[in-house]
Amino acid sequence: MQYVEQIEPSCDPGMDSSAGTTGADQDGAATYRSYDRAATESALIEAATQLFVRKNPGSVSVREIARVAGVNHGLVHHYFGSKQALVQAVLDHLATRARDSMAAGTAMDEDSPVLTYTRILGRAVLEETDLAPLPGNHPILVQLASLARDVGGLDERSARIRASQGAALAMGWLLFEPLLIQSSGLEDEDPTFLRDQLRVMLAHMAIPVTEDG
């Protein structure tokens, strides 16, 4: 069901958690917003993603997220229950997009959701945010475990160990890439090339070296 809300300029949008947007345009006229739950949740997730890419989730307020999304800040709690739940929703959404990116072979592109996911996750973890564990179908873990098991011939336990260690390397690089590039004097290198080298290194980690190799 779709709703249409009208908010008079004299009203406080924060008074009604079901209200849809800010109160007035530049001319002082009442504004109208038509939205449904799915569209509003999507707008909030997209706005939060944009902000979390630039700043730590803990430093981003609910009002700021709602302002970027163009909705009432009360809708964050109305639809997600808490800001923390919105952070988790952002990560879950990016994990789905990251799996598609891994399957398409674009995981190391500059605008890849894998990079976005990793950087937001890393910032949230460093803030000691209470997040759900990485899902078993995390794209990096799945790809590395599959490589170790199906190509490297490792048993399931060994494949998971290799995958977790490889994921630590990949996520560490993606999270601290600018700092690592600068600290290593690699400013003249193309970041895409460096990520391709990371991909090769991950493959070597996943596939054990034989005595004949």
Side-chain angles (χ1 to χ4, degrees):
M1 178 178 180
Q2 194 173 53
Y3 298 88
V4 178
E5 299 288 346
Q6 176 180 356
I7 308 173
E8 299 297 338
S10 59
C11 294
D12 177 4
M15 296 294 292
D16 180 4
S17 64
S18 65
T21 185
T22 55
D25 60 20
Q26 293 180 348
D27 298 325
T31 57
Y32 299 81
R33 171 175 288 274
S34 175
Y35 67 90
D36 58 28
R37 177 167 187 145
T40 304
E41 288 181 348
S42 179
L44 287 167
I45 288 173
E46 180 61 31
T49 300
Q50 293 177 24
L51 291 166
F52 295 163
V53 165
R54 302 195 301 267
K55 298 188 289 186
N56 291 341
S59 66
V60 179
S61 70
V62 167
R63 287 182 179 272
E64 189 175 6
I65 295 170
R67 178 181 58 77
V68 173
V71 303
N72 188 310
H73 71 274
L75 291 175
V76 172
H77 294 282
H78 185 65
Y79 287 154
F80 294 95
S82 67
K83 176 186 167 184
Q84 182 55 45
L86 175 56
V87 174
Q88 189 65 58
V90 166
L91 292 171
D92 291 343
H93 174 70
L94 286 172
T96 299
R97 294 180 56 201
R99 285 193 291 273
D100 294 339
S101 179
M102 295 283 285
T106 60
M108 295 301 176
D109 291 355
E110 181 59 39
D111 58 351
S112 166
V114 175
L115 273 68
T116 304
Y117 173 83
T118 300
R119 288 167 181 169
I120 292 177
L121 174 64
R123 289 171 178 169
V125 169
L126 290 174
E127 288 183 327
E128 298 184 356
T129 303
D130 185 18
L131 297 171
L134 289 180
N137 60 349
H138 181 280
I140 295 177
L141 291 171
V142 169
Q143 188 176 73
L144 292 178
S146 175
L147 191 63
R149 183 180 59 251
D150 301 336
V151 179
L154 297 181
D155 60 71
E156 186 64 30
R157 177 176 176 275
S158 298
R160 290 184 180 185
I161 291 174
R162 292 291 182 103
S164 63
Q165 293 170 341
L169 173 61
M171 295 173 70
W173 177 268
L174 297 180
L175 178 59
F176 296 108
E177 182 181 68
L179 176 64
L180 292 169
I181 288 176
Q182 184 178 20
S183 301
S184 303
L186 298 172
E187 294 91 342
D188 294 335
E189 295 288 350
D190 181 358
T192 302
F193 168 76
L194 295 176
R195 293 186 206 116
D196 284 338
Q197 294 297 301
L198 174 62
R199 192 201 311 268
V200 172
M201 184 176 296
L202 292 173
H204 283 304
M205 286 185 64
I207 302 175
V209 178
T210 64
E211 294 183 358
D212 295 335

